[in-house]
């Protein structure tokens, strides 16, 4: 494990609370002992699942899987039953590590606070799978992206370079531990760089202000909320770097945050499949609305509908494609080739690039991929949950622009007498919380084109 996470090998000394999650903390040596011990109990498993609630136990369970070289899939603590069962099955997991709030036929390998000491485990191969992270597509259930140790290491090294991230840093955030942002950057990042971590459990302005970090991570919704709380925002003046990502940071939020904290935020762009690939730099220009340059080890290109290069004039929009060391290995269920064009990963994002190579993300190619509070939500998955409610004949889900969440999930439903409240209750029991429509609008019909296809643009 020390090749991937050198802080756990004593390379950077130690702190009694090197990793803190809410009220619980642990030293790096303590975390290594706990991880090695649980790793020893799961070694040889095909894959494991961790219910990634914001707890220190989640960090220990994931570190244990990494120590054992067993790929670990993360399940949201509030996952709907369909999504959870899908992840348990699709990941090929043969055990759950830590506690599980759900019923499962798989063995549950418990964590033991008495664990520690030295359990020797061989260093897993750099090309072996580290994580299986689920991300939504336009239709169907989420897909599990397999991320190798090599890709994770390359990404964290590229980001450490871009952000001048060193052992002197103390990272603070409260992002979910089942996605790339909170888990790869937010937990494995400090363990690779040798920086302390405080996870605040929830990403609230007050908790950020009280944590006295040098670096802070947030999705744009978090920064919008920080800006609305002047006292908390001003407490961040003592920080070194504020980083935003997972969705576009609105320019007024960038400006207000700069004004209140004295720090122009660093904005970075990425995807579960590619990890974080483009960023502004701690030692470079931080331009509102722009996400900067490819990090070390990553290349980008901009192409038109025919795959021909698009001019880098800062204005002409093209399809953004990525390649490099941070790339995923494929989806655990198979399938990867469709997502590539001549070896370049097709991101599904539209962008412009200027003559200096600075990138601006313009939007998604598909209206069926919604970003709400930094979470990706596939319209098709939500529509399927709504259509499972008896008495519903048609449903169309869209992302409506929203000042706080970027987009909010809104469902247009043709219902045979079923009320919006009843639909919400039914769907709420099936779906992970952030995928639930915030609004359900009952309509008599959906707008369709001559081919019978729903015209979602008319619903926005
Ligand atoms: C939410 N609630 C709902 C609801 N949606 N209730 C009814 N119907 C709905 N549709 C409930 C919640 O459960 C919560 O309840 C309460 O309403 C407040 O929810 P909220 O307003 O949504 O706020 P919050 O829960 O604080 O969520 C905002 C947020 C969250 C920003 C904290 O969206 C978040 O953590 N986002 C981060 C996503 C992320 O990390 N993405 C990275 C993906 S990786 P209660 O009872 O709990 O209060 C990636 C790659 C990259 O994208 O580039 O990083
Ligand atoms: P996910 O699949 O959850 O990893 O989401 C990846 C998507 O988030 C990308 O394809 C983008 O659409 C979006 N995204 C991530 N970071 C940014 C950013 N800084 N600006 C705009 N969009 C972003």
């Amino acid at each position: 494990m020390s090749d991937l996470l050198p802080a756990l090998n004593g390379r950077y000394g130690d702190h009694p609370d090197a990793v803190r999650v809410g009220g619980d903390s642990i030293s790096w040596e303590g975390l290594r002992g706990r991880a090695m011990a649980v790793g020893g109990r799961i070694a040889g498993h095909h894959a494991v699942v961790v219910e990634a609630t914001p707890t220190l136990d989640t960090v220990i369970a994931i570190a244990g899987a990494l120590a054992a070289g067993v790929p670990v899939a993360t399940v949201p603590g509030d996952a709907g039953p369909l999504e959870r069962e899908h992840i348990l099955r699709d990941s090929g997991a043969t055990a759950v590590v830590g506690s599980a709030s759900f019923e499962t036929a798989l063995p549950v390998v418990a964590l033991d606070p008495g664990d520690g000491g030295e359990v020797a485990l061989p260093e897993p191969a750099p090309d072996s799978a580290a994580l299986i992270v689920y991300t939504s597509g336009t239709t169907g259930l989420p897909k599990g992206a397999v991320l190798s140790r090599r890709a994770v290491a390359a990404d964290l090294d590229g980001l450490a370079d871009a952000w001048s991230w060193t052992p002197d840093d103390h990272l603070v955030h409260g992002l979910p531990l089942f996605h790339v942002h909170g888990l790869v950057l937010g937990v494995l990042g400090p363990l690779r760089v040798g920086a302390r971590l405080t996870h605040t459990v929830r990403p609230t302005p007050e908790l950020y202000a009280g944590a006295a970090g040098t670096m802070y991570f947030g999705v744009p919704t978090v920064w919008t909320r920080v800006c609305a709380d002047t006292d908390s925002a001003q407490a961040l003046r003592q920080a070194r770097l504020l980083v935003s990502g997972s969705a576009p940071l609105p320019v007024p939020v960038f400006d207000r945050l700069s004004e209140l904290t004295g720090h122009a935020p660093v904005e970075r762009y990425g995807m579960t499949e590619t990890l974080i690939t483009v960023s502004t730099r701690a030692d470079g220009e931080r331009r509102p609305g722009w996400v900067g340059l490819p990090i070390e080890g990553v290349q980008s290109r901009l192409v038109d509908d025919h795959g021909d290069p698009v001019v880098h004039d800062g204005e002409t929009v093209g399809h953004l494609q990525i390649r490099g060391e941070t790339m995923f290995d494929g989806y655990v269920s198979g399938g990867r080739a469709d997502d590539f064009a001549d070896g370049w990963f097709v991101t599904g994002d539209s962008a412009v690039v200027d003559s200096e190579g600075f990138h601006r993300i313009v939007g998604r190619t598909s209206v069926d991929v919604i970003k709400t509070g930094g979470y990706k939500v596939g319209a098709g998955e939500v529509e399927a949950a709504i259509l499972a409610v008896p008495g519903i004949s048609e449903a169309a889900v869209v992302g409506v622009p929203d000042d706080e969440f970027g987009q909010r999930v809104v469902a247009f439903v043709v219902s045979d007498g079923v009320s919006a409240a009843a639909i919400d209750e039914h769907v709420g029991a099936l779906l992970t919380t952030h995928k639930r429509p915030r609004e359900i609008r009952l309509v008599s019909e959906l707008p369709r084109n001559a081919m019978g296809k729903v015209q979602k643009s008319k619903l926005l």
Side-chain angles (χ1 to χ4, degrees), residues 125-151:
D127 284 325
S128 60
L131 303 167
I132 305 169
V133 183
Y134 279 81
T135 181
S136 296
T138 49
T139 57
L141 287 161
K143 295 186 284 186
V146 179
L147 301 167
S148 70
R149 299 171 89 87
R150 192 188 292 285

Side-chain angles (χ1 to χ4, degrees), residues 175-176 179-181 202-203 219 221-222 225 245-246 268-272 276 371-375 405 424 433 436-438:
L175 297 169
H179 278 315
V180 160
H181 196 163
R202 303 273 299 170
V219 295
T221 304
V222 168
R225 289 177 181 181
S246 302
R268 97 295 179 288
Y269 158 86
M271 289 185 78
T272 302
I276 307 313
K371 266 267 158 162
T372 179
Y375 285 115
F405 290 95
D424 181 49
T433 311
R436 282 173 71 180
R438 289 191 177 255

